[in-house]
Amino acid sequence: MSFADGSLAGRRVTVRVPGTTANLGPGFDTLGLALAIYDELTVAVRDEPGAFVEVDGVGAGEVPTDETNLVVRAIAHTFAAYGQELPGLHLTAKNVIPHGRGLGSSGAAIVSGVMAAKGLLEGIVEIDPLGLLARATELEGHPDNVAPALFGGLTIAWVTPEGPQFKKLIVHRGVSPLVLVPEETMSTALARSLQPESVPHADAIFNVSRSTLLIAALIQSPELLLAATEDKLHQSYRASAMPETDRLIQALRAEGFPAVVSGAGPSILVLCSDPGQRLAAADLVAARTATPWRSLVLAVDFKGATVITHPDEVE
């Protein structure tokens, strides 16, 4: 079914997507965690062709406001994947997730678009969870951020010949994330370019053991988080591009705080085992740096992305 008959006229959806932190130390390109910080998006079908985007908050005046906007491209990609014609769109975005700091802002934008498409196509095309993950991964390139943004909680993501797959796990209630956000940004492409083509066999084994331990620590035994967040695959190679991040992570870990680079950085994720440890970590950073770092005391998001349709507006 196409939209030549005007079946989308009057449709409007509201999407809410959490920020995410990927890798979590040793789980490079595999593990991701959804955080309770959200971008919200409203998409309405309009009579005029093309797309018009209004942005409030993070990225206002910076991100494109036409068809080149990443959210619009994600909507268009999803419509095309299911053989549907894209209508004219009016998007209103309220952005809170910091851009370029390792908190999954691009993944959230992509997931916002995929979920908006799902809502707009309700009753015409049904998109299941693996379909959502596949469409988002096609745009993002890897599923470690888009999986937790879509499904919430702690996710393990992997790719098969049939497409990306995921497993969602519920995080132990004692796990208390703290994200430390600097003023400067980091390009994910630059961070990835610093990775070597291969790593020593011993380092690969080290990360297999730590990533396995990390799953146990996050879902059952938070007291193991310091040992479980050790990594030899990516953080040391990227340290030269974000020296202040690396210095603070070393200082935090030396005092017993499970600190790692959040995603591609330069933000720092501290996976504390209780709220008191989280406040002590924030105090340490405030005392050890002269540059501004914003402390985000966040819960784990367990719900993931949501979409609300407004059927009363459908003709």
Side-chain angles (χ1 to χ4, degrees), residues 164-242:
Q165 310 288 320
F166 77 99
K167 174 63 179 178
K168 175 181 175 178
L169 300 171
I170 300 302
V171 176
H172 189 284
R173 65 178 181 271
V175 175
S176 304
L178 170 70
V179 180
L180 302 159
V181 184
E183 288 189 331
E184 68 269 16
T185 62
M186 166 63 77
S187 160
T188 300
L190 171 60
R192 286 188 171 273
S193 73
L194 299 173
Q195 293 296 124
E197 290 285 333
S198 60
V199 297
H201 187 259
D203 289 354
I205 294 173
F206 181 94
N207 269 60
V208 169
S209 70
R210 294 310 189 274
S211 58
T212 305
L213 180 62
L214 181 56
I215 298 296
L218 285 170
I219 68 174
Q220 184 176 341
S221 305
E223 70 277 5
L224 297 174
L225 280 166
L226 182 62
T229 49
E230 293 180 307
D231 160 70
K232 290 189 177 182
L233 283 191
H234 66 104
Q235 293 182 116
S236 61
Y237 298 109
R238 298 174 172 183
S240 61
M242 39 186 152

Side-chain angles (χ1 to χ4, degrees), residues 73-314:
R73 288 193 283 125
I75 296 173
H77 177 79
T78 306
F79 269 65
Y82 294 94
Q84 302 298 321
E85 179 185 347
L86 188 69
L89 299 172
H90 184 172
L91 286 73
T92 304
K94 296 181 179 179
N95 294 341
V96 177
I97 301 167
H99 287 184
R101 290 177 176 84
L103 287 171
S105 61
S106 66
I110 289 167
V111 168
S112 293
V114 172
M115 291 295 290
K118 172 182 169 64
L120 291 172
L121 291 170
E122 185 176 290
I124 300 167
V125 174
E126 296 306 318
I127 309 175
D128 64 16
L130 287 180
L132 294 171
L133 182 60
R135 303 293 81 77
T137 302
E138 285 161 2
L139 288 171
E140 179 75 345
H142 41 89
D144 56 339
N145 274 118
V146 295
L150 280 166
F151 308 117
L154 170 68
T155 57
I156 307 169
W158 67 99
V159 178
T160 71
E162 292 73 37
Q165 310 288 320
F166 77 99
K167 174 63 179 178
K168 175 181 175 178
L169 300 171
I170 300 302
V171 176
H172 189 284
R173 65 178 181 271
V175 175
S176 304
L178 170 70
V179 180
L180 302 159
V181 184
E183 288 189 331
E184 68 269 16
T185 62
M186 166 63 77
S187 160
T188 300
L190 171 60
R192 286 188 171 273
S193 73
L194 299 173
Q195 293 296 124
E197 290 285 333
S198 60
V199 297
H201 187 259
D203 289 354
I205 294 173
F206 181 94
N207 269 60
V208 169
S209 70
R210 294 310 189 274
S211 58
T212 305
L213 180 62
L214 181 56
I215 298 296
L218 285 170
I219 68 174
Q220 184 176 341
S221 305
E223 70 277 5
L224 297 174
L225 280 166
L226 182 62
T229 49
E230 293 180 307
D231 160 70
K232 290 189 177 182
L233 283 191
H234 66 104
Q235 293 182 116
S236 61
Y237 298 109
R238 298 174 172 183
S240 61
M242 39 186 152
E244 182 70 354
T245 294
D246 182 61
R247 184 183 72 80
L248 288 175
I249 286 175
Q250 300 311 319
L252 285 160
R253 295 190 68 85
E255 296 295 327
F257 299 106
V260 297
V261 177
S262 179
S267 294
I268 296 170
L269 169 69
V270 190
L271 287 168
C272 299
S273 56
D274 63 69
Q277 188 186 41
R278 181 162 60 182
L279 295 176
D283 289 343
L284 183 149
V285 169
R288 298 285 184 93
T289 181
T291 57
W293 286 73
R294 183 159 57 114
S295 295
L296 300 179
V297 176
L298 300 173
V300 175
D301 170 87
F302 294 103
K303 196 170 185 179
T306 58
V307 58
I308 299 172
T309 60
H310 302 275
D312 55 307
E313 299 180 18
V314 180

Side-chain angles (χ1 to χ4, degrees), residues 13-35:
V13 298
T14 301
V15 177
R16 190 171 186 251
V17 179
T20 56
T21 179
N23 303 328
L24 314 182
F28 184 58
D29 277 3
T30 300
L31 300 181
L33 186 66
L35 300 172

